[in-house]
Amino acid sequence: RNVIIDCDPGIDDSLAIMLALSLEELHVEGITIVCGNSPVEMGAGNARKVLKQMNRLDVPIYLGAEKPLKREYVSALDTHGADGLGESWLPEVPETRQELDAVEFLSRTIRARAEEKTGCSVIALGPMTNLAHLIQTDPEAFSMIEEIVSMGGSFKSHGNCSPVAEYNYWADPDGAALVYETAASQRKKIVMVGLDVTRKIVLTPNLLEYMKRLNPETGQFVQAITKFYFDFHWQWEHIVGCVINDPLAVAYFIDPSICEGFESFVQIETEGISLGQSVVDSMNFYRKEPNAKVLTQVDTYRFFEMMLSRVLEVEPESLDILENVL
Ligand code: RIB
Ligand code: CA
């Protein structure tokens, strides 16, 4: 399946890119960058560092929004480190700047694949500003997107930017709101991979040690970019390990059976104390057609079986002790 990864690298975005590029089921058309965890130029530089690590600098990177639709830009560098990649301070990778910007690339690629009848989906791992700009400039192209899987929001889990809001939707609530409103008007359903399921995906020191044993080079790269994230999670979420949200959106896209959820009408709050909250109408108060599939359960074992076997390039059958490493 053809896919564009829209992201804000970012530590877990980087792990998601590693998973996506190791899946032969996926053709990654390109990576579009949005301001989020990191400012957009830093995010593009971090994406290049990950592509270099994967020996995949053939994948094109396109720069998108430098700030949210209306709100002031607020980064998450406190979580992802001053370099946006866990203060691994990996060497900068010279860039081959694309002349197209992210929205032009999204529009042209989605239209081309729709005309060829092969289709193109979008896995959105950051604030949804680029998708919002696509709606504003080419709503028909937005309607042609085969599937939109968004890491963001939360149904019943507490927020990570406020009591109720998750960062991607909190950082650009107007962008997220426009995407969900447009999905409703175009009869599309956004797959919402929210904190309810991603909080169950914790990379622990034990799992990291196992990764290093299975593939020292890749394991050490993952360790280099996640150490800062481990410290952040101990300090703020009081857990040993780090929640790797974004790779779950990629894993779901490849194998939806690893998660369960339900269809619902979802709105994003754009102001006040609940700004950025994904309001999930699970009891259908508003009697509106669903514009989302909200994920609520995940098979953690199957996620890590996919993540480790693909990213570390080992056969799933060789993960004989994964059960007791988890
Ligand atoms: O709230 C978690 C999400 O916000 C993840 O995508 C993380 O990378 C940040 O973008
Ligand atoms: Ca992200």
Side-chain angles (χ1 to χ4, degrees):
R1 295 178 71 187
N2 300 321
V3 71
I4 294 170
I5 297 178
D6 189 66
C7 56
D8 58 334
I11 295 167
D12 55 336
D13 302 75
S14 300
L15 298 174
I17 291 171
M18 293 173 77
L19 176 58
L21 292 180
S22 58
L23 295 164
E24 63 273 4
E25 301 93 322
L26 276 193
H27 172 242
V28 178
E29 297 271 0
I31 296 172
T32 51
I33 307 295
V34 64
C35 62
N37 292 323
S38 309
V40 69
E41 290 280 357
M42 182 189 286
N46 288 336
R48 283 197 298 276
K49 293 174 186 178
V50 177
L51 293 184
K52 181 169 174 57
Q53 166 65 23
M54 304 280 295
N55 202 18
R56 289 298 309 275
L57 281 165
D58 58 291
V59 178
I61 295 169
Y62 300 88
L63 271 74
E66 295 178 346
K67 64 181 185 55
L69 231 48
K70 292 180 186 166
R71 277 194 79 192
E72 285 306 306
Y73 166 54
V74 178
S75 80
L77 291 177
D78 59 332
T79 309
H80 293 260
D83 65 347
L85 210 50
E87 294 184 2
S88 51
W89 302 113
L90 298 173
E92 292 303 321
V93 178
E95 69 171 306
T96 49
R97 182 165 296 252
Q98 302 292 340
E99 72 288 343
L100 289 183
D101 70 24
V103 177
E104 288 164 339
F105 171 72
L106 281 158
S107 172
R108 291 191 191 187
T109 308
I110 292 160
R111 284 181 169 279
R113 297 295 172 263
E115 273 140 41
E116 293 160 13
K117 307 250 184 303
T118 53
C120 183
S121 295
V122 176
I123 300 177
L125 305 175
M128 296 216 264
T129 318
N130 288 340
L131 282 177
H133 285 159
L134 177 65
I135 291 167
Q136 292 173 330
T137 57
D138 189 354
E140 191 186 17
F142 182 83
S143 73
M144 293 171 168
I145 299 174
E146 184 178 77
E147 184 177 24
I148 300 173
V149 178
S150 162
M151 190 281 134
S154 187
F155 171 41
K156 290 192 167 174
S157 181
H158 61 280
N160 59 12
C161 283
S162 81
V164 294
E166 173 282 324
Y167 175 77
N168 286 334
Y169 294 2
W170 175 86
D172 189 352
D174 305 281
L178 180 58
V179 169
Y180 277 88
E181 285 157 13
T182 308
S185 64
Q186 294 184 356
R187 298 260 184 280
K188 295 176 87 67
K189 294 184 186 70
I190 310 283
V191 179
M192 191 180 101
V193 187
L195 295 174
D196 310 89
V197 287
T198 67
R199 279 207 161 104
K200 294 175 184 147
I201 306 297
V202 181
L203 178 65
T204 62
N206 221 18
L207 260 170
L208 183 56
E209 192 56 37
Y210 188 35
M211 292 178 77
K212 285 162 59 182
R213 299 290 179 187
L214 291 167
N215 182 324
E217 204 234 334
T218 302
Q220 269 141 37
F221 178 80
V222 171
Q223 177 171 283
I225 69 171
T226 56
K227 186 194 171 314
F228 185 95
Y229 214 30
F230 275 57
D231 297 341
F232 175 89
H233 279 79
W234 171 247
Q235 185 181 358
W236 294 98
E237 301 250 351
H238 207 53
I239 61 171
V240 176
C242 60
V243 173
I244 53 171
N245 308 277
D246 294 334
L248 181 58
V250 174
Y252 171 87
F253 183 72
I254 291 301
D255 181 2
S257 71
I258 68 171
C259 290
E260 290 173 22
F262 65 95
E263 294 189 349
S264 181
F265 179 63
V266 173
Q267 283 175 283
I268 309 297
E269 178 55 81
T270 57
E271 57 193 22
I273 60 169
S274 302
L275 176 145
Q277 180 175 12
S278 48
V279 180
V280 178
D281 185 12
S282 57
M283 303 305 288
N284 200 16
F285 284 102
Y286 302 137
R287 298 282 180 272
K288 295 228 183 218
E289 284 301 306
N291 60 346
K293 176 172 183 182
V294 177
L295 302 188
T296 54
Q297 298 294 329
V298 55
D299 183 330
T300 308
Y301 178 87
R302 285 181 60 201
F303 167 80
F304 279 108
E305 183 183 51
M306 181 197 289
M307 181 79 187
L308 266 59
S309 60
R310 301 311 183 84
V311 170
L312 304 177
E313 297 175 284
V314 296
E315 291 306 315
E317 299 69 43
S318 69
L319 298 175
D320 52 334
I321 65 164
L322 177 58
E323 190 77 53
N324 50 48
V325 168
L326 274 185

